Amino acid sequence: MKNVNLNALRVFSVVASHGNLQRAAEELNLSRGAVSQRIKQLEIELGVVLLVRGARGVSLTLEGERCHAAMKEALAILDTALVSVDDGGDRITLHLGSSTATKWLMPRMDAFATRFPNVSLTTQVHEQVLARSLGRNEIAIWPGKAHDTNAAHVSRRLADIRLVAVCSPEFLRPDWPVGLETLLTFPLLQDAHRRWEKLIQATGYGDAHKLLNFDRAALALDAAAGGHGVAIAPTYMVEHDLRAKKLVEIWVDPNPSGDGLYISWAKDHLRQTRIKRIVDWIASEFA
């Protein structure tokens, strides 16, 4: 095995992720010249060229792509190992999307604290599925079309994802239910999933200039509650606001989305009583 400087490998990994020496230097709190020098030294140590430098940034050579893939895999394994070194005592980390955290978890925090008074819950929100394996005392909730494929995890389906359109009770509208053609004439509030655009394209109804886009479902739903239009979202995200009468349901998608919401945790810790009790409680909230 080559005697390679591990810090230089970390610098390379950051550069490869950004595709830009200056942005990598800013993240690492180094000068651009120092970053470039460490990459050159790493290339000398490995005996290969890792980066091609261009006017708009850097690109990976074939050897660079292989090295970057190996680094990502190694760092993910290390992250998982470090998480599991400390069993965390009564600390549990829940990984989930930001809108699921805001619209589903937050209304249940008091109930969670009552049910598990000795558990310290930490949430980490992500825009994509966690790349690494889950460690001890970690749980993940994420939508998808199938169970978690990570061989190190066990997963459980929490719910089918059913889409509904919602708006403020004060929003001017015909009586419920609203037909799709009429629905798509309203001001439409959509998130990054762009479900309204997909419905418009599939049906030929609607007028794209009435779309207002948000990067998160929670923001679109808050705008709907404020009377700014109609949002579309999974039922589990709107049930609290429906009960509180902040929103009303005016349309239900008759076609199954095919997606589900899943919960995952580490297979190595399948017998953890605390994890099992928390998973069961979360599942009961979807029953």
Side-chain angles (χ1 to χ4, degrees):
M1 178 180 175
K2 294 179 181 291
N3 185 20
V4 178
N5 185 292
L6 294 179
N7 189 48
L9 280 171
R10 176 174 174 265
V11 170
F12 164 72
S13 181
V14 175
V15 171
S17 296
H18 285 289
N20 184 283
L21 290 172
Q22 184 57 45
R23 287 199 293 271
E26 291 169 358
E27 178 177 328
L28 294 164
N29 198 27
L30 296 171
S31 69
R32 187 179 186 281
V35 169
S36 180
Q37 185 59 40
R38 293 189 189 186
I39 297 297
K40 288 179 181 177
Q41 185 61 40
L42 179 62
E43 290 176 326
I44 292 172
E45 292 175 356
L46 293 175
V48 295
V49 176
L50 300 172
L51 300 176
V52 177
R53 294 158 176 81
R56 296 186 176 181
V58 296
S59 57
L60 297 177
T61 64
L62 180 61
E63 290 81 4
E65 289 177 353
R66 292 173 57 194
C67 183
H68 188 216
M71 281 296 298
K72 288 196 294 184
E73 182 178 356
L75 288 172
I77 292 171
L78 182 60
D79 282 345
T80 300
L82 290 175
V83 165
S84 295
V85 165
D86 177 11
D87 68 7
D90 288 325
R91 296 193 301 274
I92 297 292
T93 299
L94 180 60
H95 302 273
L96 69 176
S98 60
S99 293
T100 301
T102 301
K103 292 297 182 182
W104 182 84
L105 178 62
M106 289 304 104
R108 292 169 170 79
M109 288 302 295
D110 287 345
F112 181 90
T114 300
R115 181 68 180 82
F116 303 102
N118 298 320
V119 172
S120 175
L121 181 66
T122 298
T123 60
Q124 291 191 12
V125 298
H126 308 271
E127 298 307 313
Q128 296 180 338
V129 177
L130 196 64
R132 62 171 176 80
S133 297
L134 295 168
R136 183 181 293 274
N137 290 352
E138 289 190 297
I139 299 171
I141 297 176
W142 206 262
K145 292 193 176 296
H147 284 272
D148 189 341
T149 58
N150 190 320
H153 296 167
V154 59
S155 69
R156 178 174 175 180
R157 192 180 181 98
L158 293 173
D160 295 330
I161 291 181
R162 185 172 65 96
L163 300 176
V164 295
V166 293
C167 64
S168 166
E170 283 74 41
F171 184 78
L172 295 176
R173 65 191 191 283
D175 291 337
W176 190 96
V178 177
L180 183 58
E181 185 173 3
T182 300
L183 180 69
L184 294 177
T185 65
F186 297 154
L188 304 175
L189 314 171
Q190 72 173 355
D191 56 41
H193 292 283
R194 301 196 175 277
R195 294 184 176 107
W196 285 130
E197 286 184 13
K198 293 172 184 176
L199 275 173
I200 290 169
Q201 292 170 1
T203 62
Y205 300 142
D207 208 341
H209 76 274
K210 293 185 178 179
L211 287 170
L212 182 58
N213 293 292
F214 299 86
D215 64 347
R216 291 176 176 82
L219 296 177
L221 291 170
D222 285 346
H228 299 290
V230 181
I232 185 170
T235 52
Y236 72 87
M237 283 191 188
V238 301
E239 57 187 13
H240 178 74
D241 286 339
L242 290 175
R243 285 197 299 268
K245 301 190 184 305
K246 293 181 180 179
L247 294 171
V248 291
E249 181 183 291
I250 61 171
W251 179 81
V252 178
D253 190 346
N255 301 310
S257 69
D259 291 340
L261 194 68
Y262 295 89
I263 187 168
S264 302
W265 64 102
K267 187 177 292 184
D268 287 347
H269 309 301
L270 186 58
R271 293 187 178 89
Q272 277 190 289
T273 303
R274 182 173 55 246
I275 289 288
K276 181 66 165 58
R277 287 192 294 114
I278 292 174
V279 167
D280 287 344
W281 178 83
I282 291 173
S284 72
E285 290 295 303
F286 284 92

